[in-house]
Amino acid sequence: MFFSRRIEHCQVCGTRVEYRIPADDNRERAVCPACQHIHYVNPLNVVGTLPIWEDKVLLCKRNIEPRKGLWTLPAGFMELGETTEEGAVRETDEEAGARIQVLGLYSVLNVVTAGQVHFFYRAKLLDTDFNPGPETMEARLFTQAEIPWDELAFRTVRMTLQNYFDDRREGQFGIHCADIR
Amino acid sequence: MFFSRRIEHCQVCGTRVEYRIPADDNRERAVCPACQHIHYVNPLNVVGTLPIWEDKVLLCKRNIEPRKGLWTLPAGFMELGETTEEGAVRETDEEAGARIQVLGLYSVLNVVTAGQVHFFYRAKLLDTDFNPGPETMEARLFTQAEIPWDELAFRTVRMTLQNYFDDRREGQFGIHCADIR
């Protein structure tokens, strides 16, 4: 996870930028008065998994801000050079040290105020030998009854878990799309 | 559409950046040697629609590069402050001047070499009174037999159209996920 700082200088030539609406545009952008470079800032994708072992779900206790000490599904920012699914598998390895088989895209959740789109893939754990990375205090399996609902890090994690337990009861897993503001 | 320039200067303080792997990271980033700001570059979302009127699909002839003069579904970069669906509706208005009712998410396509994820929503046109914006030469309805397959602008547009005509024949519309490299 990382936070973004307001653009003050041109990333191409270093000149202090101006905020204005460029020609043929309808939004304010950071524009360089020297080289005319326009800096666009767009939403980011967060990619992760819902790793399942028998009747249990794998959660990670966050060792970094934001929400340090709270529980999350393994997830993080999508990187260049990978697909959403590859990013989700990479984050599951980095945060939980867990080996999975991906079963399919499970939720696509717009988090508008954060400028993020969260993707979660349903996955089958191949073993229970976890090896959490530095961003995770603890990786642990939870039954539905054991889920720490009041100590979840993100609303998209809560929503994805709720959908999963509902779908499991019904015996059918679709793709869930929702918006959080 | 826009292209991204390599980061040469810190966006916070203007100092020339260095490319190196930060502590606790595993990828090279543009790091400021003065203020230590780390610049992350991540994939972008392109959001659009598949607008349907009776047995026809709406395509737009591009008036801008890349792929000027070729046909596309209305789509463009997702902006901050909107959901993927809201962005798709906005682009359909901006590029085609078309009013639609969104029926649901239809394709999620990773375009790895471009560093993009493309989302297309299936939509019902509310009328055929189009009013293309400056990025579009012409907005026109095509039956399946009329689709200019050799003059389509992007592979994700071709894939989404092919899926649509296949699904229409079968009478069932799911969500299609695929990767393009």
Side-chain angles (χ1 to χ4, degrees), chain A residues 72-93:
Chain A
T72 184
L73 291 166
F77 286 101
M78 183 186 182
E79 298 275 8
L80 290 175
E82 68 187 11
T83 64
T84 43
E85 180 174 326
E86 288 166 350
V89 171
R90 174 183 54 72
E91 288 289 345
T92 305
D93 176 44

PDB file of all heavy atoms in Angstrom, chain A residues 72-93:
ATOM      1  N   THR A  72      -7.262  -8.839   6.936  1.00  0.00           N
ATOM      2  CA  THR A  72      -7.613  -8.602   5.533  1.00  0.00           C
ATOM      3  C   THR A  72      -7.459  -9.886   4.721  1.00  0.00           C
ATOM      4  O   THR A  72      -6.780 -10.822   5.163  1.00  0.00           O
ATOM      5  CB  THR A  72      -6.702  -7.503   4.937  1.00  0.00           C
ATOM      6  OG1 THR A  72      -7.126  -7.210   3.602  1.00  0.00           O
ATOM      7  CG2 THR A  72      -5.236  -7.931   4.898  1.00  0.00           C
ATOM      8  N   LEU A  73      -8.088  -9.917   3.564  1.00  0.00           N
ATOM      9  CA  LEU A  73      -7.727 -10.920   2.561  1.00  0.00           C
ATOM     10  C   LEU A  73      -6.422 -10.460   1.925  1.00  0.00           C
ATOM     11  O   LEU A  73      -6.177  -9.257   1.820  1.00  0.00           O
ATOM     12  CB  LEU A  73      -8.828 -11.022   1.493  1.00  0.00           C
ATOM     13  CG  LEU A  73     -10.151 -11.619   1.976  1.00  0.00           C
ATOM     14  CD1 LEU A  73     -11.262 -11.359   0.964  1.00  0.00           C
ATOM     15  CD2 LEU A  73     -10.004 -13.121   2.241  1.00  0.00           C
ATOM     16  N   PRO A  74      -5.556 -11.399   1.487  1.00  0.00           N
ATOM     17  CA  PRO A  74      -4.304 -10.966   0.857  1.00  0.00           C
ATOM     18  C   PRO A  74      -4.589 -10.182  -0.424  1.00  0.00           C
ATOM     19  O   PRO A  74      -5.270 -10.676  -1.325  1.00  0.00           O
ATOM     20  CB  PRO A  74      -3.574 -12.279   0.566  1.00  0.00           C
ATOM     21  CG  PRO A  74      -4.591 -13.360   0.669  1.00  0.00           C
ATOM     22  CD  PRO A  74      -5.657 -12.863   1.588  1.00  0.00           C
ATOM     23  N   ALA A  75      -4.077  -8.959  -0.522  1.00  0.00           N
ATOM     24  CA  ALA A  75      -4.352  -8.071  -1.661  1.00  0.00           C
ATOM     25  C   ALA A  75      -3.369  -6.917  -1.663  1.00  0.00           C
ATOM     26  O   ALA A  75      -2.810  -6.567  -0.628  1.00  0.00           O
ATOM     27  CB  ALA A  75      -5.784  -7.524  -1.580  1.00  0.00           C
ATOM     28  N   GLY A  76      -3.188  -6.323  -2.832  1.00  0.00           N
ATOM     29  CA  GLY A  76      -2.312  -5.164  -2.935  1.00  0.00           C
ATOM     30  C   GLY A  76      -2.428  -4.542  -4.311  1.00  0.00           C
ATOM     31  O   GLY A  76      -3.214  -5.011  -5.146  1.00  0.00           O
ATOM     32  N   PHE A  77      -1.644  -3.511  -4.579  1.00  0.00           N
ATOM     33  CA  PHE A  77      -1.765  -2.793  -5.841  1.00  0.00           C
ATOM     34  C   PHE A  77      -1.255  -3.630  -7.018  1.00  0.00           C
ATOM     35  O   PHE A  77      -0.176  -4.210  -6.952  1.00  0.00           O
ATOM     36  CB  PHE A  77      -1.012  -1.462  -5.785  1.00  0.00           C
ATOM     37  CG  PHE A  77      -1.722  -0.442  -4.962  1.00  0.00           C
ATOM     38  CD1 PHE A  77      -1.320  -0.169  -3.659  1.00  0.00           C
ATOM     39  CD2 PHE A  77      -2.820   0.234  -5.470  1.00  0.00           C
ATOM     40  CE1 PHE A  77      -1.999   0.760  -2.886  1.00  0.00           C
ATOM     41  CE2 PHE A  77      -3.509   1.166  -4.704  1.00  0.00           C
ATOM     42  CZ  PHE A  77      -3.093   1.427  -3.409  1.00  0.00           C
ATOM     43  N   MET A  78      -2.045  -3.651  -8.083  1.00  0.00           N
ATOM     44  CA  MET A  78      -1.655  -4.284  -9.346  1.00  0.00           C
ATOM     45  C   MET A  78      -0.444  -3.546  -9.913  1.00  0.00           C
ATOM     46  O   MET A  78      -0.376  -2.324  -9.856  1.00  0.00           O
ATOM     47  CB  MET A  78      -2.833  -4.183 -10.321  1.00  0.00           C
ATOM     48  CG  MET A  78      -2.618  -4.863 -11.642  1.00  0.00           C
ATOM     49  SD  MET A  78      -4.020  -4.501 -12.757  1.00  0.00           S
ATOM     50  CE  MET A  78      -3.519  -5.473 -14.174  1.00  0.00           C
ATOM     51  N   GLU A  79       0.507  -4.316 -10.464  1.00  0.00           N
ATOM     52  CA  GLU A  79       1.720  -3.728 -11.039  1.00  0.00           C
ATOM     53  C   GLU A  79       1.700  -3.819 -12.563  1.00  0.00           C
ATOM     54  O   GLU A  79       0.994  -4.658 -13.136  1.00  0.00           O
ATOM     55  CB  GLU A  79       2.957  -4.484 -10.515  1.00  0.00           C
ATOM     56  CG  GLU A  79       3.163  -4.405  -9.011  1.00  0.00           C
ATOM     57  CD  GLU A  79       3.918  -3.161  -8.553  1.00  0.00           C
ATOM     58  OE1 GLU A  79       4.172  -2.259  -9.387  1.00  0.00           O
ATOM     59  OE2 GLU A  79       4.231  -3.084  -7.354  1.00  0.00           O
ATOM     60  N   LEU A  80       2.497  -3.006 -13.225  1.00  0.00           N
ATOM     61  CA  LEU A  80       2.675  -3.119 -14.673  1.00  0.00           C
ATOM     62  C   LEU A  80       3.266  -4.487 -15.005  1.00  0.00           C
ATOM     63  O   LEU A  80       4.053  -5.035 -14.240  1.00  0.00           O
ATOM     64  CB  LEU A  80       3.614  -2.016 -15.180  1.00  0.00           C
ATOM     65  CG  LEU A  80       3.039  -0.598 -15.138  1.00  0.00           C
ATOM     66  CD1 LEU A  80       4.118   0.402 -15.540  1.00  0.00           C
ATOM     67  CD2 LEU A  80       1.826  -0.459 -16.036  1.00  0.00           C
ATOM     68  N   GLY A  81       2.888  -5.045 -16.155  1.00  0.00           N
ATOM     69  CA  GLY A  81       3.469  -6.310 -16.612  1.00  0.00           C
ATOM     70  C   GLY A  81       2.760  -7.542 -16.113  1.00  0.00           C
ATOM     71  O   GLY A  81       3.223  -8.667 -16.364  1.00  0.00           O
ATOM     72  N   GLU A  82       1.657  -7.382 -15.394  1.00  0.00           N
ATOM     73  CA  GLU A  82       0.921  -8.539 -14.897  1.00  0.00           C
ATOM     74  C   GLU A  82      -0.570  -8.355 -15.161  1.00  0.00           C
ATOM     75  O   GLU A  82      -1.048  -7.229 -15.347  1.00  0.00           O
ATOM     76  CB  GLU A  82       1.179  -8.759 -13.394  1.00  0.00           C
ATOM     77  CG  GLU A  82       0.600  -7.675 -12.495  1.00  0.00           C
ATOM     78  CD  GLU A  82       1.000  -7.826 -11.033  1.00  0.00           C
ATOM     79  OE1 GLU A  82       1.894  -8.635 -10.710  1.00  0.00           O
ATOM     80  OE2 GLU A  82       0.418  -7.101 -10.202  1.00  0.00           O
ATOM     81  N   THR A  83      -1.306  -9.478 -15.162  1.00  0.00           N
ATOM     82  CA  THR A  83      -2.763  -9.412 -15.246  1.00  0.00           C
ATOM     83  C   THR A  83      -3.324  -9.241 -13.827  1.00  0.00           C
ATOM     84  O   THR A  83      -2.608  -9.429 -12.838  1.00  0.00           O
ATOM     85  CB  THR A  83      -3.333 -10.710 -15.845  1.00  0.00           C
ATOM     86  OG1 THR A  83      -3.038 -11.786 -14.947  1.00  0.00           O
ATOM     87  CG2 THR A  83      -2.723 -11.006 -17.217  1.00  0.00           C
ATOM     88  N   THR A  84      -4.604  -8.933 -13.747  1.00  0.00           N
ATOM     89  CA  THR A  84      -5.244  -8.816 -12.431  1.00  0.00           C
ATOM     90  C   THR A  84      -5.094 -10.127 -11.654  1.00  0.00           C
ATOM     91  O   THR A  84      -4.792 -10.112 -10.453  1.00  0.00           O
ATOM     92  CB  THR A  84      -6.733  -8.459 -12.591  1.00  0.00           C
ATOM     93  OG1 THR A  84      -7.301  -9.250 -13.643  1.00  0.00           O
ATOM     94  CG2 THR A  84      -6.913  -6.988 -12.948  1.00  0.00           C
ATOM     95  N   GLU A  85      -5.269 -11.256 -12.352  1.00  0.00           N
ATOM     96  CA  GLU A  85      -5.157 -12.556 -11.679  1.00  0.00           C
ATOM     97  C   GLU A  85      -3.717 -12.832 -11.229  1.00  0.00           C
ATOM     98  O   GLU A  85      -3.479 -13.292 -10.109  1.00  0.00           O
ATOM     99  CB  GLU A  85      -5.649 -13.674 -12.605  1.00  0.00           C
ATOM    100  CG  GLU A  85      -5.554 -15.039 -11.982  1.00  0.00           C
ATOM    101  CD  GLU A  85      -6.179 -16.131 -12.851  1.00  0.00           C
ATOM    102  OE1 GLU A  85      -7.177 -15.870 -13.541  1.00  0.00           O
ATOM    103  OE2 GLU A  85      -5.644 -17.255 -12.838  1.00  0.00           O
ATOM    104  N   GLU A  86      -2.743 -12.526 -12.095  1.00  0.00           N
ATOM    105  CA  GLU A  86      -1.333 -12.724 -11.718  1.00  0.00           C
ATOM    106  C   GLU A  86      -0.972 -11.847 -10.518  1.00  0.00           C
ATOM    107  O   GLU A  86      -0.234 -12.285  -9.626  1.00  0.00           O
ATOM    108  CB  GLU A  86      -0.417 -12.390 -12.897  1.00  0.00           C
ATOM    109  CG  GLU A  86      -0.464 -13.433 -14.011  1.00  0.00           C
ATOM    110  CD  GLU A  86       0.173 -12.963 -15.313  1.00  0.00           C
ATOM    111  OE1 GLU A  86       0.499 -11.763 -15.452  1.00  0.00           O
ATOM    112  OE2 GLU A  86       0.315 -13.801 -16.221  1.00  0.00           O
ATOM    113  N   GLY A  87      -1.479 -10.626 -10.494  1.00  0.00           N
ATOM    114  CA  GLY A  87      -1.220  -9.742  -9.363  1.00  0.00           C
ATOM    115  C   GLY A  87      -1.817 -10.298  -8.075  1.00  0.00           C
ATOM    116  O   GLY A  87      -1.199 -10.243  -7.008  1.00  0.00           O
ATOM    117  N   ALA A  88      -3.015 -10.865  -8.189  1.00  0.00           N
ATOM    118  CA  ALA A  88      -3.691 -11.435  -7.021  1.00  0.00           C
ATOM    119  C   ALA A  88      -2.902 -12.628  -6.472  1.00  0.00           C
ATOM    120  O   ALA A  88      -2.745 -12.775  -5.252  1.00  0.00           O
ATOM    121  CB  ALA A  88      -5.110 -11.851  -7.401  1.00  0.00           C
ATOM    122  N   VAL A  89      -2.375 -13.464  -7.365  1.00  0.00           N
ATOM    123  CA  VAL A  89      -1.566 -14.613  -6.944  1.00  0.00           C
ATOM    124  C   VAL A  89      -0.261 -14.128  -6.302  1.00  0.00           C
ATOM    125  O   VAL A  89       0.163 -14.644  -5.256  1.00  0.00           O
ATOM    126  CB  VAL A  89      -1.284 -15.542  -8.152  1.00  0.00           C
ATOM    127  CG1 VAL A  89      -0.262 -16.613  -7.793  1.00  0.00           C
ATOM    128  CG2 VAL A  89      -2.577 -16.172  -8.652  1.00  0.00           C
ATOM    129  N   ARG A  90       0.360 -13.114  -6.908  1.00  0.00           N
ATOM    130  CA  ARG A  90       1.609 -12.558  -6.357  1.00  0.00           C
ATOM    131  C   ARG A  90       1.382 -11.993  -4.954  1.00  0.00           C
ATOM    132  O   ARG A  90       2.161 -12.259  -4.029  1.00  0.00           O
ATOM    133  CB  ARG A  90       2.123 -11.450  -7.298  1.00  0.00           C
ATOM    134  CG  ARG A  90       3.345 -10.694  -6.759  1.00  0.00           C
ATOM    135  CD  ARG A  90       3.798  -9.548  -7.668  1.00  0.00           C
ATOM    136  NE  ARG A  90       2.734  -8.602  -7.993  1.00  0.00           N
ATOM    137  CZ  ARG A  90       2.213  -7.715  -7.133  1.00  0.00           C
ATOM    138  NH1 ARG A  90       2.647  -7.644  -5.893  1.00  0.00           N
ATOM    139  NH2 ARG A  90       1.241  -6.904  -7.514  1.00  0.00           N
ATOM    140  N   GLU A  91       0.298 -11.248  -4.758  1.00  0.00           N
ATOM    141  CA  GLU A  91       0.026 -10.675  -3.440  1.00  0.00           C
ATOM    142  C   GLU A  91      -0.240 -11.763  -2.397  1.00  0.00           C
ATOM    143  O   GLU A  91       0.129 -11.624  -1.234  1.00  0.00           O
ATOM    144  CB  GLU A  91      -1.160  -9.709  -3.509  1.00  0.00           C
ATOM    145  CG  GLU A  91      -0.850  -8.395  -4.225  1.00  0.00           C
ATOM    146  CD  GLU A  91       0.079  -7.475  -3.417  1.00  0.00           C
ATOM    147  OE1 GLU A  91       0.257  -7.705  -2.205  1.00  0.00           O
ATOM    148  OE2 GLU A  91       0.641  -6.534  -4.008  1.00  0.00           O
ATOM    149  N   THR A  92      -0.875 -12.848  -2.829  1.00  0.00           N
ATOM    150  CA  THR A  92      -1.166 -13.945  -1.905  1.00  0.00           C
ATOM    151  C   THR A  92       0.130 -14.614  -1.465  1.00  0.00           C
ATOM    152  O   THR A  92       0.285 -15.027  -0.308  1.00  0.00           O
ATOM    153  CB  THR A  92      -2.108 -14.963  -2.591  1.00  0.00           C
ATOM    154  OG1 THR A  92      -3.259 -14.255  -3.051  1.00  0.00           O
ATOM    155  CG2 THR A  92      -2.521 -16.067  -1.635  1.00  0.00           C
ATOM    156  N   ASP A  93       1.084 -14.691  -2.390  1.00  0.00           N
ATOM    157  CA  ASP A  93       2.406 -15.228  -2.060  1.00  0.00           C
ATOM    158  C   ASP A  93       3.161 -14.247  -1.163  1.00  0.00           C
ATOM    159  O   ASP A  93       3.700 -14.630  -0.122  1.00  0.00           O
ATOM    160  CB  ASP A  93       3.181 -15.488  -3.357  1.00  0.00           C
ATOM    161  CG  ASP A  93       4.601 -15.948  -3.072  1.00  0.00           C
ATOM    162  OD1 ASP A  93       4.781 -16.804  -2.189  1.00  0.00           O
ATOM    163  OD2 ASP A  93       5.536 -15.448  -3.730  1.00  0.00           O
TER     164      ASP A  93
END
